[in-house]
Amino acid sequence: MATGVVNLGEKFALIDERWSPRIAARINDMYLKLVRVKGEFVWHTHTETDEFFYIHRGELTIELKDRGSVDLHAGEFFVVPRDVEHRPIASEDCELVIIEPAGTLNTGDVGGSLTAPEDRWV
Amino acid sequence: MATGVVNLGEKFALIDERWSPRIAARINDMYLKLVRVKGEFVWHTHTETDEFFYIHRGELTIELKDRGSVDLHAGEFFVVPRDVEHRPIASEDCELVIIEPAGTLNTGDVGGSLTAPEDRWV
């Protein structure tokens, strides 16, 4: 218990794979996940949950269907409301913290080859 | 919607008061709160929820009843499990990010003069 301190930078250093969220903490029924990304993800929607994005390192654009886009830099966060179709894009390597309920798939309603296992810790 | 980017550093710069959490985001039924602290808080327990602590700036010690203590530095986080009595202590000014369900009081079960309003945004 008293050894459960997590250093974000140290954990991200363990993650090579892109677009593959790794769980770093559980808070009640929510998971805090770390994700390394680069390039364009797929358009998708989470119909059951908001999705929190915090930029640990790098920059991320989140395109929002019919609502423009948001540009996020290190130290900034944004909450994509449930039911809002979105697509993350990172031109360079970017380290994201995501918070969402346990059981949430990275590709939401759309599935496909980028769908990652949901239960891997780092 | 597309203007809801939050910069943690800019938000903390707006907060002078200590031990008085300010809401910066809602994620489903959870609030992400920013708190500026210095000194010793009161021993208390949250019987209904885990409590997530992330250090944005400074250092924090969390004493855990019968379980020792954890020392947290900037960039590190720790989850206090529900029902674990705890006391945060910061020798110098410290900026914390806390995640817990809407309705959670900062003093948990113990109340007292340090109990802050629960619904103030920043």
Side-chain angles (χ1 to χ4, degrees), chain A residues 1-10 24-30 32 34 48-52 54 56 64 67-82 84 99-101, chain B residues 1-10 24-30 32 34 48-52 54 56 64 67-82 84 99-101:
Chain A
M1 233 303 295
T3 60
V5 175
V6 175
N7 181 294
L8 276 187
E10 291 175 7
R26 182 167 191 138
I27 313 159
N28 300 337
D29 63 345
M30 307 288 274
L32 183 146
L34 310 185
E48 303 297 329
T49 181
D50 303 333
E51 189 169 33
F52 171 91
Y54 172 75
H56 179 255
L64 304 163
R67 304 190 192 197
S69 65
V70 293
D71 294 320
L72 297 167
H73 310 85
E76 295 179 341
F77 68 77
F78 182 77
V79 179
V80 177
R82 72 180 66 196
V84 172
I99 300 172
E100 58 195 7
Chain B
M1 232 304 294
T3 58
V5 175
V6 175
N7 180 294
L8 277 187
E10 292 175 6
R26 182 166 190 139
I27 314 160
N28 299 339
D29 63 344
M30 307 288 275
L32 183 147
L34 310 185
E48 303 297 328
T49 182
D50 303 333
E51 190 170 33
F52 171 91
Y54 171 75
H56 179 254
L64 303 164
R67 305 190 192 197
S69 65
V70 293
D71 295 320
L72 296 166
H73 310 87
E76 295 179 341
F77 69 76
F78 182 76
V79 178
V80 177
R82 72 181 65 197
V84 172
I99 300 172
E100 59 194 7

Side-chain angles (χ1 to χ4, degrees), chain A residues 95-114:
Chain A
E95 295 175 351
L96 302 180
V97 177
I98 288 177
I99 300 172
E100 58 195 7
T104 304
L105 285 180
N106 64 334
T107 51
D109 61 324
V110 76
S113 63
L114 287 170

Side-chain angles (χ1 to χ4, degrees), chain B residues 82-101:
Chain B
R82 72 181 65 197
D83 275 330
V84 172
E85 192 175 6
H86 58 283
R87 176 169 71 158
I89 300 175
S91 56
E92 300 296 336
D93 189 63
C94 176
E95 296 175 350
L96 302 181
V97 176
I98 287 178
I99 300 172
E100 59 194 7

